[in-house]
Amino acid sequence: MTTDEITDLLTGAYIDEFETVMNYQTNAIVLDGIHAEEVKTSLEEDIQEELDHARILGERLKQLDESPPGSESFEANQHSLQPPEDTTDVQSVIEGVLEAEADAIETYRSLIEAATEANDPVTEDVAVTILADEEAHRTEFRGFQKEFPMD
Ligand SMILES: [Fe+2]
Ligand SMILES: [Fe+2]
């Protein structure tokens, strides 16, 4: 059985995935310098996965007889992922990505909890699958963070 909490979480997560796609794409384009190359390549790869997450979430909403939102529902939240003024500031992008991934992980954990409570194993499965990807993204960027230690 579905609940308002589940559809709200699915809808919010759908919007967040698109915001992530936009900011990862922008940062993959704007970063400069020798330290940026690996981060840019990694962002490009993750964009494809984040888009796939949005598709899976949208399809789940449809299966629950709801519609994924259009752009009029869009509300921007990822302030720390805006393109840096200094385009060689790879570290600020790494920090922004880690924050976005932490937010995503929190959302999918909440979705797992809500789905378990509502006895909705299909939504739970969707959330577990996506959570595994987000944890992998976090691990990848924690690795980059070690190369760029905070002072
Ligand atoms: Fe994602
Ligand atoms: Fe991610």
Side-chain angles (χ1 to χ4, degrees), residues 17 20 49-50 53 101 104 108 130 134 137:
E17 293 289 354
T20 300
E49 292 193 4
E50 310 297 10
H53 296 163
E101 296 295 345
Y108 294 117
I130 299 177
E134 309 301 13
H137 295 162

Side-chain angles (χ1 to χ4, degrees), residues 36-52:
E37 284 313 312
E38 265 192 90
V39 169
K40 288 164 70 131
T41 304
S42 175
L43 285 171
E44 290 284 359
E45 284 167 9
D46 291 352
I47 286 162
Q48 299 309 316
E49 292 193 4
E50 310 297 10
L51 256 184
D52 216 37

Side-chain angles (χ1 to χ4, degrees), residues 76-148:
N77 292 308
Q78 295 177 350
H79 306 295
S80 58
L81 257 184
Q82 302 309 302
E85 218 161 287
D86 171 3
T87 58
T88 64
D89 188 1
V90 181
Q91 189 172 301
S92 84
V93 174
I94 293 169
E95 295 300 324
V97 168
L98 283 169
E99 211 174 290
E101 296 295 345
D103 283 349
I105 285 164
E106 199 183 307
T107 298
Y108 294 117
R109 283 188 175 281
S110 301
L111 186 56
I112 290 166
E113 218 171 283
T116 307
E117 249 169 61
N119 193 21
D120 177 351
V122 177
T123 298
E124 189 185 343
D125 186 58
V126 161
V128 170
T129 302
I130 299 177
L131 176 64
D133 285 345
E134 309 301 13
E135 289 198 0
H137 295 162
R138 181 175 63 183
T139 301
E140 194 178 21
F141 276 80
R142 276 181 177 165
F144 291 135
Q145 191 188 34
K146 282 183 189 159
E147 260 193 322
F148 295 93

Side-chain angles (χ1 to χ4, degrees), residues 53-70:
H53 296 163
R55 183 183 54 75
I56 294 165
L57 294 163
E59 282 172 354
R60 185 62 191 143
L61 279 162
K62 175 76 173 168
Q63 289 161 5
L64 296 173
D65 221 21
E66 300 281 339
S67 170

